[in-house]
């Protein structure tokens, strides 16, 4: 079907009225695709959530029929989908969301947002998962996915009803009912893929700060972990290692020899993770900008000019990761970058975040010249929620190719429901208080219930100053998170464990967290890079 015909079908479909959705079985027994009409089914954009888009688009032979059938209403270009479930049903999922674990009674929006200092009522965070896991009164479970990359309202405020509202038209996929939530998540993983195989060292404790601002400071922190016998396997480099925030560069005075730094870190048992973001400084003579311009790599405004927006380096242009040729160009930059001894890569600010913009991101009218298998040429409104995932994909795939002997490690701030195939994630700019400690537990669990099991918060809180008691308690819980990651922003007090002095040791001992802290030894591949008793002494000798 031509793009013009496809567009005409979509416009006609979006003006249809209401009714029960039509369905066909896909993927495996118990999984169904629903559309408003046959025309809507034919006109649907390719799936960016399914591991293989054909699995969503090609029906299978099955005698089963769905137990629950959604209804729809289409008006003024919007599609509202409703699924009624039995009284007593409770709702979970919805991806990266703050607040309570059970989502019954809540409403969220899937729109990746730079949400510094979010609270329990914030409706959009850094990742988008248009997915709900329903637990039925009989103990069975049902999953439902609105397979759209567009801004989507997930409304669970009416008891026993799931509502999705997004620009028309989009298919809805149901998984189950199956005997348990785990069975639903297993079936979901067959559709969207499982989490990438992380390297063993990434399961240890990670220490980060915005920023350790010199090679000397990085080594000082790493050696102090060693000297004090505190489990730690990874040191992270935030934006200040660069030359003027130019990505894929190193400051010649403060980080003059990154290869030597990484070699020294490896010698004492540490890995090094470094950050490149998507905002490339708009500056002739900067090799990444010049190369990207030669490759016609940048996202365009509606008028065809390259979009320029402010981020850390100042005025920036942004790679169009919806094109395979641009992902390959980015991958070459990654290959050269990791030749410096880089063990892992941290993609931040990739909603993409834009400074000095009311919306905190680029205009929705911007243009992506995407490949047909992703949806073709579309506005930023279509690709916004998938941008961070496509960046992570490009980074991960090149790291995988660069050294097949090693498992890549990528961390991404922004993502979509299938991002777990390429990257871990963290719950980003939290606050150093008890409410955010409490929320961090439900947020990590919620991400796991939405197909992203490898996640964790900034232990101790990113913004604000932790107290010894708060940090000690958070470290105890953090040891149990899949990603165990301490991080704090500039202008806060130091948040390395020893920074809290004797009081932290007392807190750990008095609150009975010795066993939990020692969990870090179990997770750490090097086992504290030494003897088990070092950690015991750190905790017990208060």
């Amino acid at each position: 079907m031509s793009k013009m015909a496809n567009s005409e079908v979509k416009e006609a479909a979006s003006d249809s009225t209401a009714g029960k959705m039509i369905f066909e079985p896909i993927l495996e027994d118990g999984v169904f695709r629903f559309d408003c009409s046959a025309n809507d089914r034919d006109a649907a954009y390719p799936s960016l959530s399914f591991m293989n888009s054909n699995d969503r688009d090609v029906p299978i032979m099955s005698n089963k029929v769905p137990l629950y059938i959604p209804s729809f209403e289409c008006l003024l270009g919007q599609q509202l989908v409703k699924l009624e479930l039995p009284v007593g049903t409770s709702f979970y999922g919805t991806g990266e969301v703050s607040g309570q674990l059970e989502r019954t009674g809540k409403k969220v929006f899937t729109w990746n947002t730079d949400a510094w200092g979010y609270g329990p009522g914030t409706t959009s965070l850094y990742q988008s998962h248009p997915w709900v896991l329903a637990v039925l009164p009989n103990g069975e479970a049902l999953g439902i996915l609105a397979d759209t990359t567009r801004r989507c309202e997930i409304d669970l405020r009416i008891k026993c009803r799931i509502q999705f509202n997004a620009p028309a038209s989009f298919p809805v996929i149901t998984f189950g009912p199956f005997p348990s939530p785990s069975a639903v998540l297993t079936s979901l993983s067959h559709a969207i893929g499982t989490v990438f195989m992380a390297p063993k060292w990434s399961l240890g404790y990670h220490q980060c700060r915005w920023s350790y601002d010199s090679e000397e400071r990085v080594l000082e922190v790493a050696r102090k972990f060693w000297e004090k016998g505190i489990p730690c396997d990874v040191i992270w480099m935030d934006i200040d290692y660069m030359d003027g925030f130019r990505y894929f560069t190193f400051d010649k005075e403060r980080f003059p020899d990154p290869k030597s730094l990484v070699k020294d870190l490896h010698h004492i048992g540490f890995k090094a993770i470094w950050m490149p973001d998507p905002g490339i400084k708009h500056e002739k003579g900067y090799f990444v900008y010049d190369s990207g311009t030669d490759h016609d790599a940048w996202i365009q405004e509606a008028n065809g000019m390259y979009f320029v927006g402010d981020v850390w380096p100042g005025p920036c242009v942004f790679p169009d990761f919806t094109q395979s040729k641009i992902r390959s160009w980015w991958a070459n930059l990654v290959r050269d970058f990791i030749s410096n001894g880089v063990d892992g890569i941290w993609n931040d600010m990739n909603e993409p975040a834009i400074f000095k913009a009311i919306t905190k991101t680029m205009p929705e009218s911007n243009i992506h010249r995407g490949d047909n298998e992703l949806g073709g040429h579309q506005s930023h409104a279509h690709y916004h929620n998938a941008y961070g995932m496509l960046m992570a994909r490009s980074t991960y795939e090149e790291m995988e190719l660069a050294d097949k002997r090693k498992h890549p490690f990528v961390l991404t701030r922004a993502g979509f429901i299938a991002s777990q195939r390429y990257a871990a994630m963290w719950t980003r700019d939290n606050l150093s208080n008890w409410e955010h400690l409490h929320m961090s537990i439900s947020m990590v669990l919620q991400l796991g219930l939405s197909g992203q099991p490898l996640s964790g918060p900034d232990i101790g809180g990113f913004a604000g100053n932790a107290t010894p008691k708060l940090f000690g308690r958070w470290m105890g819980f953090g040891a149990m998170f899949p990603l165990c990651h301490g991080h704090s922003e500039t202008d806060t007090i130091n948040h390395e464990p020893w920074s809290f002095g004797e009081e932290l040791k007392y807190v750990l001992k008095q609150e009975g967290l010795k066993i939990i802290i020692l969990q870090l030894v179990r997770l750490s591949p090097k086992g504290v890079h030494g003897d088990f008793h070092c950690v015991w002494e750190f905790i017990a000798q208060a």
Side-chain angles (χ1 to χ4, degrees), residues 229-480:
I230 304 172
C232 186
D233 284 271
V234 192
I235 298 289
W236 294 55
M237 263 53 73
D238 210 316
I239 53 177
D240 291 303
Y241 76 83
M242 305 170 202
D243 176 15
F245 306 133
R246 296 171 182 86
Y247 301 109
F248 301 108
T249 69
F250 300 90
D251 185 285
K252 293 180 180 179
E253 293 185 2
R254 292 180 291 115
F255 288 84
D257 192 351
K259 285 186 178 179
S260 178
L261 170 61
V262 172
K263 184 178 179 180
D264 289 343
L265 288 171
H266 287 176
H267 181 70
I268 56 176
F270 284 82
K271 302 295 184 180
I273 292 178
W274 305 72
M275 172 197 285
D277 292 351
I280 302 302
K281 188 174 180 64
H282 186 274
E283 179 183 66
K284 289 183 179 180
Y286 167 35
F287 76 96
V288 179
Y289 175 79
D290 291 343
S291 173
T293 301
D294 290 343
H295 283 80
D296 194 19
W298 314 125
I299 295 171
Q300 296 178 345
E301 295 179 347
N303 61 12
M305 301 291 289
Y306 291 144
F307 169 74
V308 179
D310 277 21
V311 202
W312 295 115
C316 292
V317 289
F318 298 82
D320 186 356
F321 293 111
T322 66
Q323 303 176 64
S324 60
K325 66 178 183 179
I326 306 309
R327 293 196 301 275
S328 295
W329 165 78
W330 182 265
N332 286 329
L333 294 171
V334 170
R335 182 187 305 129
D336 292 342
F337 187 58
I338 63 177
S339 69
N340 291 285
V342 170
D343 297 300
I345 288 183
W346 172 13
N347 292 157
D348 195 13
M349 307 294 288
N350 56 344
E351 291 73 32
I354 307 292
F355 297 162
K356 303 178 184 178
I358 295 174
T359 62
K360 298 185 178 182
T361 192
M362 63 177 58
E364 295 182 35
S365 59
N366 280 0
I367 300 300
H368 294 260
R369 293 163 286 164
D371 298 333
N372 287 335
E373 59 265 28
L374 296 186
H377 289 214
Q378 298 287 345
S379 70
H380 184 67
H382 182 82
Y383 284 120
H384 174 84
N385 285 336
Y387 186 80
M389 178 180 73
L390 292 171
M391 180 185 184
R393 171 183 170 181
S394 178
T395 303
Y396 174 85
E397 289 178 346
E398 183 48 44
M399 290 191 74
E400 189 175 42
L401 288 173
D403 191 340
K404 293 184 179 296
R405 298 169 301 171
K406 297 180 179 179
H407 293 297
F409 182 83
V410 179
L411 185 84
T412 186
R413 184 166 91 167
F416 192 55
I417 188 166
S419 294
Q420 78 284 340
R421 299 202 299 261
Y422 314 111
M425 66 85 56
W426 85 116
T427 58
R428 205 30 178 118
D429 292 351
N430 58 359
L431 303 180
S432 188
N433 61 39
W434 291 95
E435 181 179 45
H436 275 256
L437 165 58
H438 184 268
M439 280 198 303
S440 70
I441 301 167
S442 59
M443 291 178 78
V444 170
L445 291 172
Q446 208 69 269
L447 281 160
L449 294 175
S450 303
Q452 171 54 285
L454 186 49
S455 68
D458 285 346
I459 291 172
F462 177 69
N465 297 321
T467 64
K469 186 173 183 178
L470 174 62
F471 186 87
R473 184 74 64 85
W474 213 324
M475 183 68 86
F477 282 109
M480 299 300 182

Side-chain angles (χ1 to χ4, degrees), residues 7-243:
S7 176
E8 290 170 353
V9 168
K10 286 180 182 295
E11 185 176 353
S14 66
D15 288 337
S16 58
T17 53
K20 288 287 187 180
M21 302 185 84
I22 61 172
F23 67 87
E24 57 187 13
I26 61 168
L27 190 66
E28 61 192 20
D29 276 351
V31 180
F32 296 92
R33 170 180 172 163
F34 294 87
D35 295 274
C36 298
S37 68
N39 282 342
D40 287 283
R41 180 181 293 158
D42 293 338
Y45 290 114
S47 176
L48 271 72
S49 60
F50 272 60
M51 188 165 47
N52 181 351
S53 189
N54 285 337
D55 287 342
R56 190 201 67 178
D57 299 335
V58 178
I60 62 170
M61 295 296 295
S62 175
N63 295 322
K64 290 188 176 181
V65 296
L67 187 58
Y68 302 102
I69 298 178
S71 60
F72 75 93
E73 298 176 29
C74 286
L75 182 64
L76 300 176
Q78 290 292 117
Q79 176 179 315
L80 175 66
V81 174
K82 301 178 183 178
L83 182 65
E84 304 285 349
L85 295 169
V87 174
T89 297
S90 55
F91 299 128
Y92 302 87
T94 69
E96 187 190 27
V97 287
S98 53
Q100 66 192 48
L101 181 63
E102 185 178 351
R103 305 311 297 166
T104 309
K106 301 296 182 180
K107 180 171 74 170
V108 299
F109 295 87
T110 62
W111 187 251
N112 293 356
T113 302
D114 182 357
W116 184 97
Y118 56 83
T122 305
T123 56
S124 293
L125 295 182
Y126 305 91
Q127 298 213 2
S128 293
H129 298 74
W131 159 262
V132 177
L133 175 66
V135 178
L136 307 177
N138 64 359
E140 293 182 337
L142 171 77
I144 180 167
L145 169 68
D147 200 14
T148 176
T149 57
R150 297 282 186 126
R151 178 188 278 106
C152 180
E153 176 190 83
I154 307 174
D155 192 345
L156 306 176
R157 294 176 299 174
I158 299 175
K159 285 186 178 181
C160 312
R161 176 189 291 176
I162 299 170
Q163 291 188 177
F164 294 109
N165 190 6
S169 59
F170 60 90
V172 167
I173 318 298
T174 62
F175 299 80
F178 292 131
S180 66
S182 62
V184 173
L185 292 171
T186 297
S187 184
L188 174 68
S189 74
H190 296 161
I192 68 171
T194 55
V195 66
F196 72 101
M197 179 60 76
K200 188 177 180 182
W201 55 259
S202 69
L203 300 179
Y205 178 66
H206 301 236
Q207 182 63 48
C208 182
R209 181 168 174 81
W210 174 29
S211 290
Y212 296 128
D213 60 2
S214 68
E215 289 185 358
E216 291 77 15
R217 178 60 176 152
V218 170
L219 288 170
E220 177 189 7
V221 171
R223 286 167 179 153
K224 205 156 190 176
F225 272 102
W226 173 273
E227 291 164 4
K228 290 185 172 292
I230 304 172
C232 186
D233 284 271
V234 192
I235 298 289
W236 294 55
M237 263 53 73
D238 210 316
I239 53 177
D240 291 303
Y241 76 83
M242 305 170 202
D243 176 15

